[in-house]
Amino acid sequence: MFGDLFEEDFSFISNNHCGKGKKSKPRESEPPAPRDFTNLSGIKNQGGTCYLNSLLQTLLFTPEFREALFSLGPEELGTLDDSRKPDAKVRIIPLQLQRLFAQLLLLDQQAASTTDLTESFGWSSHEEMRQHDVQELNRILFSALETSLVGTSGHDLINRLYHGIVVNQIVCKECKNVSERQEDFLDLTVAVKGVAGLEEALWNMYVEEEYFENDNLYRCGACDKLVEASKSAKLRKLPPFLTISLLRFNFDFEKCERYKETSCYTFPIQINLRPFCEQTEMDDSEYMYELFSVIIHKGGCYGGHYHVYIRDVDELGNWQLQEEEDGLIEERALGDTENAKETENPLAVLKRILSEEEVKQIPVDQLGQKLLEKKGVSWNKKYRKQYGALRKYLQNHPQIFQLTPDGSKVGLKEAHKFRLDSHGQNLQSPSQKNDVQWNCEKNPPRPRAASAGCHWFDLNDSKVQPIKEKDIEKQFQGKESAYMLFYRKAQLKRPPEARGNPRYQIPEHLLNEMNAANTELQKKRAECDSANNGIDLHLHLSSCYRFHNGALHPSLSWKESVVDLTIDRRKTLGELRQAVFQMLESWEGDMVLSMAKPLPAGLHLYQVLDGDELTLDGTGLADGADIFVWNGKEVGGTKVLAGPEHEPVVLNVLRLAEHNEGGKGQHFSETQLVVSCSTSLGQLHSALAPAGGIILKNGSGADREAKNWEVFHEEDMKETVQSVGLRDGCSVLILDSHDQSFVNVASGNLTAFTYDISWLQVKNFCGEEEEEKHVKITATIDTMMSDIKMKAIRELQLEEELATESCLRPVSGNGKLLSPVPEDYTVKEAELKMGSLLGLCRGKAPTSTQLFLYFMVGSDQSCSPEMEIVVEETASVRECLNLMLEKSGLSGDNWHLRRLDWCYEAGEALSQENATLKELNVCRGDTLVITEGKLPGKGFLKIPIWWLKPSSCKKHGEKAEDQVNGITWKMEALQVSAAAAPPEPAHPGLDLCYAGRIEVAGEASLEDLKMQSVVPWHLCHGHW
């Protein structure tokens, strides 16, 4: 509806309240947060709608506007349910505004959404991301509402609340004839530049007169001649609600750029408009207005953020500052007089000192001395930290202080020497001209007694927080300052039943809708709370376990040994124990719950869960935790040692192999051993090493290439497995006495043996498990790939039969499975780096004489999926093509193979169909493309032939060469490759006919080509 109202696109976006280029959506799984302690709802920012949010909150907290809108029922506005019916008369904007107000008043959510409302405006998504001017939006929104309410009892809603009249008068000095013109207004626009505050701006507009004299005379209609006259304006009719827009944005014609006025601009909480009105004989209450909303703009003229300070007239919110702030205020109130004086505004102090001086200007240094004499404290001590140096402070307020060119003396500008009485009346000016200054520091408005509806809130998009009335003064100046002011007549009183009652005057159908929505919200929050605080525990039952090889192992399958339990983390251990008892009705005797952890060696137990009054969250139980349920003593008759000091460790025990044991190139035999981490090296030595033997450990760790082996010396035998750094998967090398020639005992390093021991990672892709598991396999560069596969199958606890039906495939950095590795290769021959990731996949691996190839039909990967095939490297190109065609479901001989180039497009053709793949250097893992079209024989070319139609007669006087040259440019559209499908035989408008393709030797002359081209034409047409 609003369209592109403004050329300017505000790009400045607040970190907290505006989006960053796209609209954010809440997670559908979680309901919106409830209201905070203020009990007031904010409004979500759709990306750049903070200006709209501020205006909507102001209208909501205008009770008379809100209730007038609610008074319009479905019989006048229609219903939203009927909005899609073609013949229904539905007024969408007021209906959506009613619904939004009801949500803001009654729906228990932190912030409401304006999406439905902005859609009723006709805004697109990009419109919601653009920030506009709130003053202009105020006028357009009122206009849209007036249009929507035509023909209803609310047709005059806007005029009734906001309409006022200004009368402009010109008085002839000779005949005293008065010429006047009325102007309607819904808001007043007042100047900020060069004006100290709102009262002065209104004084300049509605009290000061403009004179027509000298060369600038006025033509009087009554006198019928040019005469001296005076021009003035007055407020003829005051609306119940007065909206004032501040002109903070101006244009600098010298710099040719816009700028924002950030100078100090004061405005009162209460204002008496009698001096500015045409009729002044009524009671004071008719002219008194109270401030109830201040829309604030933060930023510059090319962008920024809006929020609003609002007075809660109906006391709908809970106003309560933080206790710390209240304590600080109370402490200040009890302080001495000097502490109270320090909060005084320096602007008022300096103006007071300069106003008392008889001379116009005094030295700046003398001003600082007078401040010290009057206040007993210097500028540097009292104000410098907050306001900077005195001279700089004076320079920053040029509208008040007048400095000499050298900056040595200062005085007050004439306009700032003006005073007014406490009621804002009987304005007097020494010069009787434009020298009026409303000194709010000197004569503040009369303080109102603490009464209902005097509490203020800062509504900043979704965030709502209480503020104090004096916080409004912070918005007098600066980059964050007041931009729109909203006053209400002081005589407008609210009924007692409206106080603290957000349901007041809301229609029944909206009350029912909000009640249903709140019920649904409570239900979703309960479900979400349960989901967020529920944790899944894995209960391992001792009756399903046996203690073996230093750890607990399930006697049945894993699924049969574990019972899953979901419980609220806020419940106690006692409640958990009760829940377990209820699940295990057959349990007899004591029940002990112990924390457990699956380790490579098996399940190990840690601390016992004691203290039934403790919450599960307090004990550190996390989602997915393992708990062992037992009697606390033994499992299956075997005593179980729990705790981190008895944690089992799986070691790889390596020995130098005899007679090349273990396969081609394998120089180690490997076994696994489980020991307690508290086992001493002496015990380990006794169990593993023969008399005179030694133990070495991999000094660089399991995750890095192992080039050094460290010897455990005699003095190390008292150390434990844990203290020397042996962890799960670490390797120890056992050397007999006759193998110790490889060891430099002095340095403790393995020197003569040069093969590295390291790891290859294997991931299960066979689909046997729900999750793809990783295992690490120790290997050397000479370990056979078949041995690595068998170790992986055992480590992954897969069926042995899988060995004949699986292969190992390297996994690239982006997760793609590469070509399988032949099983008769070593790690070195397979060109694998230690630490590489391999995938255990179904399918047989190619042998060393076979090639694993990728292929696709056409080079467009989005149209043709990539397929895989294994062929002999001695197969010819034709044989390979036939296998690929068969796998692709294609037939015929009108196909050929091409390599895939670096641009992932069909590249070089494999033209030698009888050559083997090995002869053409086709390698394992290459990608070939099946391309349509038959290649010409060796040394031949296929050339498309086009004939000029005989009917194309040349023009009079035109040579044949010119006629041919004239159609040359058309041939670009007729380029045809040798493999492409035949084009249309004739092209309208081109006078050409396609004759076919001619296969001609590459060494043939143009004359030979011409002769061959004539034959098909005669055969087809029988003549030229």
Side-chain angles (χ1 to χ4, degrees):
M1 175 172 183
F2 295 155
D4 291 330
L5 302 177
F6 310 96
E7 297 178 1
E8 186 173 331
D9 187 359
F10 283 65
S11 60
F12 177 92
I13 296 175
S14 166
N15 290 334
N16 296 328
H17 308 289
C18 293
K20 297 185 178 181
K22 60 182 181 180
K23 297 194 291 187
S24 59
K25 295 184 179 179
R27 289 175 293 179
E28 294 180 358
S29 59
E30 292 190 7
R35 302 186 181 212
D36 59 19
F37 72 97
T38 63
N39 199 36
L40 297 179
S41 175
I43 301 179
K44 296 175 186 176
N45 194 319
Q46 295 188 52
T49 57
C50 50
Y51 66 102
L52 173 66
N53 296 349
S54 299
L55 183 58
L56 290 174
Q57 292 283 21
T58 299
L59 295 177
L60 174 72
F61 282 89
T62 308
E64 291 77 8
F65 176 88
R66 180 180 74 224
E67 291 162 9
L69 186 66
F70 281 144
S71 68
L72 303 173
E75 64 280 358
E76 292 189 274
L77 302 181
T79 64
L80 292 173
D81 294 335
D82 296 337
S83 59
R84 294 187 178 181
K85 295 180 180 179
D87 300 329
K89 177 66 175 178
V90 180
R91 304 172 193 269
I92 301 293
I93 292 180
L95 283 172
Q96 290 291 5
L97 198 56
Q98 278 186 347
R99 190 164 180 268
L100 175 64
F101 281 2
Q103 290 175 346
L104 290 170
L105 290 169
L106 299 177
L107 199 58
D108 184 20
Q109 59 182 5
Q110 182 180 0
S113 172
T114 56
T115 302
D116 292 339
L117 179 65
T118 54
E119 286 179 357
S120 73
F121 296 162
W123 283 5
S124 60
S125 59
H126 87 278
E127 190 72 29
E128 295 162 0
M129 300 301 298
R130 294 183 60 189
Q131 187 182 101
H132 294 314
D133 185 84
V134 69
Q135 297 175 356
E136 186 70 13
L137 174 68
N138 182 60
R139 301 183 185 109
I140 294 179
L141 182 59
F142 280 0
S143 175
L145 272 174
E146 280 188 312
T147 303
S148 297
L149 297 177
V150 170
T152 71
S153 59
H155 65 93
D156 62 343
L157 186 153
I158 302 300
N159 275 343
R160 192 167 70 246
L161 298 180
Y162 297 95
H163 176 257
I165 298 175
V166 172
V167 59
N168 295 286
Q169 296 179 337
I170 300 179
V171 180
C172 175
K173 292 289 186 180
E174 294 190 10
C175 68
K176 306 302 180 183
N177 178 61
V178 178
S179 174
E180 67 176 35
R181 185 182 76 257
Q182 276 195 175
E183 293 181 6
D184 299 323
F185 71 87
L186 295 179
D187 66 281
L188 296 178
T189 302
V190 299
V192 173
K193 183 179 180 181
V195 182
L198 175 63
E199 293 100 326
E200 182 179 349
L202 294 175
W203 172 267
N204 293 339
M205 293 171 64
Y206 302 117
V207 176
E208 290 287 344
E209 294 183 346
E210 179 184 352
Y211 295 99
F212 296 97
E213 53 189 5
N214 299 328
D215 294 335
N216 182 29
L217 297 177
Y218 167 73
R219 177 170 290 279
C220 176
C223 301
D224 194 23
K225 64 178 180 177
L226 294 175
V227 296
E228 291 185 349
S230 62
K231 179 181 179 182
S232 64
K234 291 287 183 182
L235 295 172
R236 174 165 285 179
K237 176 194 172 186
L238 293 175
F241 295 91
L242 179 63
T243 302
I244 298 176
S245 300
L246 307 183
L247 286 176
R248 283 205 176 268
F249 297 120
N250 284 311
F251 189 83
D252 189 327
F253 288 94
E254 292 183 0
K255 297 181 179 179
C256 289
E257 64 181 15
R258 293 183 67 191
Y259 70 96
K260 179 180 178 180
E261 287 285 352
T262 58
S263 57
C264 181
Y265 190 91
T266 62
F267 47 88
I269 300 297
Q270 283 186 322
I271 188 171
N272 188 332
L273 296 180
R274 182 195 295 271
F276 317 115
C277 293
E278 182 182 33
Q279 300 176 6
T280 60
E281 65 278 1
M282 293 184 292
D283 187 74
D284 257 4
S285 61
E286 296 290 335
Y287 305 101
M288 293 302 297
Y289 280 75
E290 294 178 338
L291 184 70
F292 76 97
S293 176
V294 182
I295 292 182
I296 298 157
H297 180 265
K298 179 180 180 180
C301 58
Y302 295 107
H305 175 68
Y306 290 96
H307 62 109
V308 61
Y309 287 176
I310 289 181
R311 181 161 64 91
D312 186 10
V313 177
D314 278 351
E315 296 186 43
L316 301 178
N318 294 326
W319 188 88
Q320 182 180 1
L321 293 178
Q322 298 177 0
E323 294 180 3
E324 294 81 4
E325 186 174 348
D326 286 338
L328 182 61
I329 294 170
E330 184 178 356
E331 182 180 345
R332 287 180 179 175
L334 296 175
D336 58 15
T337 307
E338 187 58 38
N339 289 336
K341 287 184 177 180
E342 289 192 21
T343 63
E344 195 170 5
N345 189 334
L347 192 65
V349 175
L350 296 177
K351 288 172 67 175
R352 191 175 303 130
I353 294 173
L354 290 173
S355 297
E356 294 172 357
E357 293 296 319
E358 295 180 357
V359 295
K360 289 186 177 181
Q361 290 183 326
I362 63 172
V364 174
D365 295 336
Q366 187 177 339
L367 177 62
Q369 182 63 32
K370 289 183 177 292
L371 174 66
L372 177 61
E373 293 173 358
K374 288 185 176 291
K375 300 300 177 185
V377 61
S378 67
W379 173 274
N380 289 342
K381 184 176 181 180
K382 188 173 182 180
Y383 298 115
R384 185 183 179 93
K385 184 175 181 180
Q386 183 177 358
Y387 298 99
L390 175 59
R391 196 180 307 273
K392 184 177 180 182
Y393 181 83
L394 297 172
Q395 292 171 347
N396 288 339
H397 294 79
Q399 74 278 10
I400 298 174
F401 304 105
Q402 185 170 1
L403 287 163
T404 56
D406 61 357
S408 61
K409 292 185 177 182
V410 63
L412 274 180
K413 289 190 174 180
E414 285 296 319
H416 291 266
K417 295 180 181 179
F418 179 78
R419 297 292 182 273
L420 56 102
D421 67 11
S422 59
H423 299 284
Q425 301 179 30
N426 302 324
L427 305 172
Q428 298 176 1
S429 171
S431 62
Q432 298 296 324
K433 210 166 184 181
N434 297 330
D435 53 0
V436 178
Q437 169 60 27
W438 296 81
N439 194 323
C440 292
E441 296 85 4
K442 191 74 175 175
N443 295 300
R446 290 173 294 177
R448 293 184 296 117
S451 59
C454 63
H455 291 149
W456 287 78
F457 292 89
D458 179 10
L459 292 97
N460 198 338
D461 287 341
S462 299
K463 185 178 180 182
V464 181
Q465 60 184 7
I467 61 169
K468 292 202 165 188
E469 190 175 274
K470 68 175 185 179
D471 291 334
I472 298 173
E473 298 177 8
K474 299 176 183 177
Q475 309 304 330
F476 284 171
Q477 62 187 346
K479 287 190 175 181
E480 183 176 9
S481 49
Y483 191 56
M484 287 188 76
L485 308 175
F486 298 83
Y487 286 87
R488 57 183 286 123
K489 270 195 173 183
Q491 63 180 199
L492 292 175
K493 303 300 180 184
R494 299 292 297 146
E497 56 270 23
R499 184 171 299 174
N501 181 13
R503 304 170 67 88
Y504 183 68
Q505 297 292 338
I506 296 182
E508 191 68 24
H509 70 280
L510 286 175
L511 289 174
N512 295 335
E513 181 183 346
M514 294 305 109
N515 288 338
N518 277 325
T519 302
E520 184 65 21
L521 271 178
Q522 291 175 3
K523 179 181 176 183
K524 288 185 177 180
R525 287 193 182 116
E527 294 172 352
C528 185
D529 180 73
S530 177
N532 288 339
N533 290 287
I535 55 175
D536 293 326
L537 302 178
H538 306 306
L539 304 179
H540 302 260
L541 309 181
S542 61
S543 58
C544 301
Y545 276 81
R546 59 188 177 88
F547 189 78
H548 169 68
N549 202 16
L552 291 163
H553 299 270
S555 53
L556 304 172
S557 68
W558 179 270
K559 290 184 178 180
E560 292 174 308
S561 304
V562 179
V563 178
D564 290 333
L565 171 65
T566 301
I567 191 169
D568 195 308
R569 70 174 72 242
R570 295 167 294 189
K571 290 193 174 183
T572 64
L573 281 175
E575 291 172 309
L576 171 61
R577 197 183 311 278
Q578 186 65 30
V580 175
F581 265 119
Q582 292 175 359
M583 291 180 65
L584 308 176
E585 296 179 355
S586 59
W587 187 274
E588 295 181 359
D590 296 335
M591 177 184 287
V592 175
L593 305 180
S594 295
M595 293 289 291
K597 181 179 179 182
L599 299 175
L603 192 70
H604 183 66
L605 306 184
Y606 293 86
Q607 76 270 20
V608 175
L609 297 174
D610 284 329
D612 285 354
E613 73 283 355
L614 296 176
T615 64
L616 303 184
D617 201 28
T619 60
L621 274 179
D623 189 36
D626 293 277
I627 296 178
F628 195 73
V629 185
W630 62 318
N631 59 14
K633 298 176 182 178
E634 47 81 26
V635 174
T638 304
K639 184 179 179 180
V640 177
L641 297 177
E645 66 276 9
H646 298 293
E647 194 173 281
V649 177
V650 179
L651 299 178
N652 296 309
V653 181
L654 306 178
R655 300 175 186 272
L656 288 180
E658 296 181 5
H659 309 294
N660 209 21
E661 177 184 348
K664 174 185 175 184
Q666 181 77 28
H667 287 265
F668 296 102
S669 65
E670 180 181 348
T671 59
Q672 286 191 334
L673 177 68
V674 178
V675 296
S676 171
C677 66
S678 59
T679 302
S680 68
L681 290 183
Q683 294 172 314
L684 189 65
H685 185 277
S686 301
L688 296 177
I694 60 174
I695 301 179
L696 299 89
K697 77 166 182 176
N698 186 336
S700 57
D703 294 329
R704 293 174 290 176
E705 292 186 4
K707 296 183 178 180
N708 299 313
W709 289 81
E710 299 176 3
V711 177
F712 289 128
H713 297 286
E714 184 66 30
E715 57 269 22
D716 298 326
M717 293 299 109
K718 294 182 180 180
E719 298 288 335
T720 64
V721 168
Q722 185 179 37
S723 64
V724 297
L726 289 175
R727 302 286 184 268
D728 283 314
C730 284
S731 298
V732 293
L733 177 61
I734 310 301
L735 294 181
D736 294 336
S737 57
H738 62 275
D739 295 326
Q740 295 181 25
S741 58
F742 296 135
V743 179
N744 183 340
V745 180
S747 63
N749 292 332
L750 190 67
T751 57
F753 188 72
T754 57
Y755 292 96
D756 293 340
I757 302 174
S758 194
W759 297 79
L760 289 173
Q761 301 180 78
V762 180
K763 186 176 183 179
N764 180 19
F765 285 93
C766 289
E768 295 289 338
E769 299 289 338
E770 294 181 1
E771 297 180 356
E772 298 171 350
K773 293 184 177 179
H774 283 80
V775 292
K776 289 184 177 179
I777 306 298
T778 55
T780 71
I781 59 175
D782 286 329
T783 304
M784 299 296 296
M785 298 305 298
S786 58
D787 293 340
I788 292 174
K789 184 177 77 170
M790 290 305 301
K791 289 181 183 179
I793 291 174
R794 295 191 193 102
E795 289 288 329
L796 291 167
Q797 299 179 356
L798 303 176
E799 300 293 337
E800 294 285 343
E801 290 79 10
L802 194 62
T804 60
E805 302 173 0
S806 61
C807 59
L808 291 175
R809 300 180 64 174
V811 181
S812 67
N814 58 9
K816 180 181 178 181
L817 287 170
L818 305 180
S819 59
V821 180
E823 293 188 0
D824 53 353
Y825 274 22
T826 65
V827 173
K828 183 177 181 181
E829 290 169 341
E831 300 180 354
L832 294 175
K833 293 182 179 180
M834 288 302 179
S836 299
L837 177 61
L838 300 174
L840 181 65
C841 307
R842 291 193 176 276
K844 292 185 177 181
T847 65
S848 57
T849 62
Q850 291 178 321
L851 294 177
F852 177 93
L853 301 175
Y854 299 97
F855 72 95
M856 64 178 70
V857 180
S859 58
D860 188 353
Q861 298 186 27
S862 62
C863 298
S864 174
E866 192 176 67
M867 292 175 278
E868 304 170 350
I869 194 170
V870 177
V871 297
E872 294 291 335
E873 62 182 7
T874 56
S876 67
V877 172
R878 170 50 60 184
E879 292 171 342
C880 180
L881 175 60
N882 290 336
L883 290 173
M884 291 179 176
L885 290 173
E886 181 180 352
K887 193 164 185 178
S888 305
L890 302 174
S891 60
D893 59 353
N894 192 32
W895 304 92
H896 65 279
L897 286 178
R898 293 178 177 268
R899 298 180 191 269
L900 191 69
D901 63 14
W902 64 276
C903 293
Y904 295 93
E905 296 178 352
E908 175 191 2
L910 301 182
S911 56
Q912 303 178 42
E913 294 189 341
N914 295 323
T916 66
L917 298 176
K918 184 175 182 179
E919 291 171 347
L920 295 178
N921 293 324
V922 177
C923 302
R924 176 166 56 94
D926 283 357
T927 302
L928 301 180
V929 182
I930 300 176
T931 308
E932 189 174 6
K934 195 170 183 179
L935 293 173
K938 186 176 181 180
F940 284 83
L941 301 173
K942 273 193 175 180
I943 301 176
I945 302 298
W946 296 81
W947 282 92
L948 184 66
K949 289 183 180 180
S951 59
S952 301
C953 300
K954 62 182 179 180
K955 298 177 182 178
H956 179 70
E958 183 182 22
K959 296 181 180 180
E961 297 82 27
D962 295 333
Q963 186 181 19
V964 173
N965 292 337
I967 63 169
T968 302
W969 63 272
K970 304 177 182 179
M971 297 299 292
E972 294 180 358
L974 305 177
Q975 295 180 4
V976 182
S977 67
E984 295 293 331
H987 284 258
L990 296 183
D991 298 331
L992 294 172
C993 198
Y994 179 64
R997 296 185 178 88
I998 301 297
E999 187 169 316
V1000 64
E1003 298 179 353
S1005 65
L1006 288 176
E1007 187 65 23
D1008 296 334
L1009 177 62
K1010 177 179 178 182
M1011 294 304 298
Q1012 279 191 260
S1013 302
V1014 172
V1015 176
W1017 179 263
H1018 280 292
L1019 292 176
C1020 295
H1021 301 279
H1023 64 280
W1024 283 83

